[in-house]
Amino acid sequence: QVQLVESGGGLVQAGGSLRLSCAASGSINTFNTMGWYRQAPGQQREFVARITSNRFTVYADSVKGRFTISRDNAKKMVYLQMNSLKPEDTAVYYCNANLRQVGFLRYMDSWGKGTLVTVSS
């Protein structure tokens, strides 16, 4: 069974920084795209950033220039460095990975349970 566990969330003042981490575990053969999404209170989950297996990155316009996504395939980790945080960045941040489990042919999407980021003004 595959598990994604996020960490690094917390309370930070506007203008501050946080680094989120996501650790994958289980019988994983290969990773495809990995990414971060977020859901603010009362809103739908939205895309934040993603990184492909060859490290091509895409960002939501709202975080471009402030957030940086990276990955370490050997450690089965994906990171989100968040700088110049704003109160509107407050949300639960979810890790997502498109991966193939050992013994399976198809890729599947897996999600973590999220980590809360609160940015105070």
Side-chain angles (χ1 to χ4, degrees), residues 53-121:
S53 56
N54 56 1
R55 293 178 168 74
F56 179 76
T57 58
V58 178
Y59 296 93
D61 288 342
S62 58
V63 307
K64 208 172 288 184
R66 300 187 297 122
F67 290 10
T68 302
I69 189 171
S70 61
R71 62 192 284 169
D72 185 329
N73 291 333
K75 294 182 179 179
K76 299 180 182 178
M77 300 282 295
V78 62
Y79 307 97
L80 186 68
Q81 177 66 43
M82 305 186 296
N83 298 329
S84 303
L85 283 161
K86 305 175 181 180
E88 51 263 43
D89 293 319
T90 295
V92 177
Y93 283 71
Y94 297 90
C95 174
N96 169 265
N98 184 252
L99 53 85
R100 186 162 64 89
Q101 290 184 256
V102 173
F104 287 76
L105 295 177
R106 292 192 309 155
Y107 281 83
M108 57 172 278
D109 272 340
S110 184
W111 291 88
K113 294 184 178 180
T115 184
L116 177 63
V117 171
T118 304
V119 184
S120 63
S121 56

Side-chain angles (χ1 to χ4, degrees), residues 30-52:
T30 54
F31 289 94
N32 194 0
T33 298
M34 304 178 81
W36 291 92
Y37 291 72
R38 67 186 182 187
Q39 187 167 16
Q43 298 188 23
Q44 290 188 333
R45 191 174 297 189
E46 64 176 7
F47 165 76
V48 176
R50 65 174 178 261
I51 182 168
T52 67

